[in-house]
Amino acid sequence: MILGIGTDLANIDRIQRTLDRFGDRFRNRVFTETEQRKAERRRDTAGTYAKRWAAKEACSKALGTGLRMGIAWKDMAVSNLNTGQPVMHVTGWAAERLREMTPPGYEAIIHVTLTDDHPWAQAFVVIEARPMADDDLATLTYPTHPRM
């Protein structure tokens, strides 16, 4: 079952201007160390940051909050599998929100896809709830879902 969907479009040139103006202050406020290492290794540094910015915005929308209600930028982080596939990780308040919206007996899976075509970077996030395996249910510690 789908729990949430979010999308965002970011302007790469705008992210470049922000990087030029605020530098590390911007990087450290919004991006994790892992995200920064990835972006700084890339030829299109601003494009890499823009895709991750869009992914964080899209994830916050899929969580049903937007970037308010306590979610911090670094509560959402994008890394990549060895295949290059992007993966979204949530911590802090974003992880708590994900737990709250996941029905008992289900596990939440966050799907993310990123693309860019200068000057645009886009992200799409889908949060899916999958039934847990019977052996996983024995260790389930989620609180009762308020809507169930």
Side-chain angles (χ1 to χ4, degrees):
M1 105 181 48
I2 303 299
L3 298 179
I5 299 172
T7 188
D8 194 67
L9 187 64
N11 185 289
I12 297 168
D13 294 333
R14 179 174 168 251
I15 296 296
Q16 182 63 64
R17 287 191 303 273
T18 303
L19 288 165
D20 293 342
R21 184 170 178 193
F22 297 105
D24 286 341
R25 185 172 156 212
F26 171 65
R27 282 182 198 88
N28 294 332
R29 179 173 179 241
V30 176
F31 303 101
T32 65
E33 289 181 22
T34 300
E35 290 172 314
Q36 290 181 48
R37 279 193 306 272
K38 172 79 172 181
E40 296 301 325
R41 285 194 314 259
R42 304 294 298 268
R43 186 169 29 119
D44 183 13
T45 302
T48 302
Y49 279 124
K51 285 185 279 190
R52 277 147 180 75
W53 170 282
K56 291 168 186 265
E57 288 273 6
C59 184
S60 71
K61 292 171 185 175
L63 289 168
T65 64
L67 282 161
R68 57 183 174 84
M69 296 177 59
I71 292 182
W73 286 103
K74 288 184 177 181
D75 284 350
M76 300 163 289
V78 178
S79 65
N80 296 83
L81 300 177
N82 290 335
T83 61
Q85 177 184 351
V87 179
M88 177 66 70
H89 306 275
V90 294
T91 59
W93 200 91
E96 179 59 31
R97 172 68 181 139
L98 184 61
R99 278 190 294 276
E100 289 172 1
M101 64 191 291
T102 305
Y106 286 79
E107 64 178 332
I109 309 295
I110 302 175
H111 303 277
V112 60
T113 186
L114 308 172
T115 191
D116 65 288
D117 187 6
H118 196 89
W120 301 108
Q122 184 178 31
F124 192 75
V125 171
V126 175
I127 301 175
E128 172 191 11
R130 290 186 188 161
M132 296 179 96
D134 289 339
D135 54 335
D136 291 336
L137 289 174
T139 60
L140 183 64
T141 59
Y142 286 175
T144 305
H145 194 273
R147 289 178 274 170
M148 299 304 274

